[in-house]
Amino acid sequence: MIDGKTVLFSGMQATGSVLQLGNYLGALKNWVTLSKEYESFFSVVDLHSITIRQEAAALRSGARNILMLYIAAGLDPEKACIYYQSHVPAHSELAWILNCFTYMGELNRMTQFKDKSAKHEANLNAGLYTYPILQAADILLYQADLVPIGKDQKQHIELCRDIAQRFNAIYGDVFTVPEAYFGKAGAKIQSLQEPEKKMSKSDENINASIFLMDDRDTIIRKFKKAVTDNFAEIKYDPENQPGISNLLDIYTLFSGKSIEETVAHFQGGGYGDFKLAVGEAVADGLKPLQERYNELKADKEYIDKIIKNNAEKASYVANKTLRKVKKKIGFPELIR
Ligand code: TYM
């Protein structure tokens, strides 16, 4: 809570220059809806990105593209505070403090650390391990009540809650203890090529993911190639028919129709027709975002102004929390 208002916080990594459909359906789409009601902060979390080696120019341009995609998806940057994490030093400062309030046993249990460390054996840096602490700092700095995310981030929010409660138990009510928010559908969009695993920006198979700036033909082609099953029945059964169920989830999120209506509509038809319909619905649904993105890309001054103003707005709120934390801990006050 800030000044009696319910606060929303979320973020995305600046890895890769474009978001994938899971980022959109699991998170961004819900941000747009929820931001109309809440005081909102959406960060492009570039500090998190360097846990994996990045090329400087690619990180810089990727971060900017992602910030523009936030706006292109429908966030209003005059209302929602859209900013780069690295522009607000308080994130790094609070992360250090929270390092001292988090147990290694807790970090050892993080499934995303286990997955990522298996993938990046040659660069098993400490940042990859303490990553969830920086994420907790992100959220707690803004006194966020609600954190809209996909299912893969659930464990990180649970850790954030534990850290906040531990800190509050020692120092009094310093942090709001946040809740995770998941959409009714879309919190777990699966790979189009291996539907038993989640869709991910870093998947080496480009046919596994839909990127938000993919053109219409590419989107339709990727859906036509989507891996399904041999049951020859359109049915919502994520356990036994993960491919078809994933396509049903995606279709309902773009068409606004329910799973039941969709199943009834495509019942008896072949998978080919259904896949084509999903591809068309996604291509149509992403078109306004893509058009807006191209407009924003051409308007450097407008984007720069947003970056500047929102870095100041975010810093103001974050520093307020940080000052309180430092005082409670017992660090000497600044003499001005
Ligand atoms: P990231 O950048 O991997 O993903 C951004 C958001 O997209 C969601 N998401 C998905 N949702 C459904 N299906 C998928 N296949 C899928 N793939 C990704 C993620 O759940 C996430 O909501 N650690 C975070 C970024 C972060 C953050 C934060 C999030 C840093 N600080 C504070 C919330 C609050 C991450 O790497 O997300």
Side-chain angles (χ1 to χ4, degrees), residues 140-213:
L140 300 179
L141 274 177
Y142 298 88
Q143 306 291 352
D145 298 88
L146 216 55
V147 186
I149 40 164
K151 276 276 151 66
D152 61 334
Q153 294 300 319
K154 185 168 178 261
Q155 201 186 26
H156 289 164
I157 307 307
E158 282 162 5
L159 176 64
C160 172
R161 289 171 55 86
D162 290 343
I163 298 172
Q165 278 160 348
R166 182 171 306 140
F167 196 96
N168 286 351
I170 305 171
Y171 297 108
D173 263 350
V174 177
F175 296 126
T176 303
V177 180
E179 301 260 351
Y181 173 97
F182 305 106
K184 278 198 202 79
K188 202 162 175 265
I189 298 297
Q190 306 294 76
S191 152
L192 297 186
Q193 289 298 311
E194 292 169 81
E196 43 304 308
K197 68 175 212 192
K198 72 168 183 179
M199 188 180 284
S200 160
K201 268 190 270 191
S202 56
D203 204 312
E204 275 158 25
N205 184 346
I206 53 159
N207 289 321
S209 313
I210 300 290
F211 296 100
L212 298 190
M213 294 305 290

Side-chain angles (χ1 to χ4, degrees), residues 83-97:
Y83 72 99
Y84 295 126
Q85 186 187 31
S86 63
H87 282 184
V88 183
H91 287 255
S92 309
E93 269 195 82
L94 183 62
W96 168 255
I97 293 171

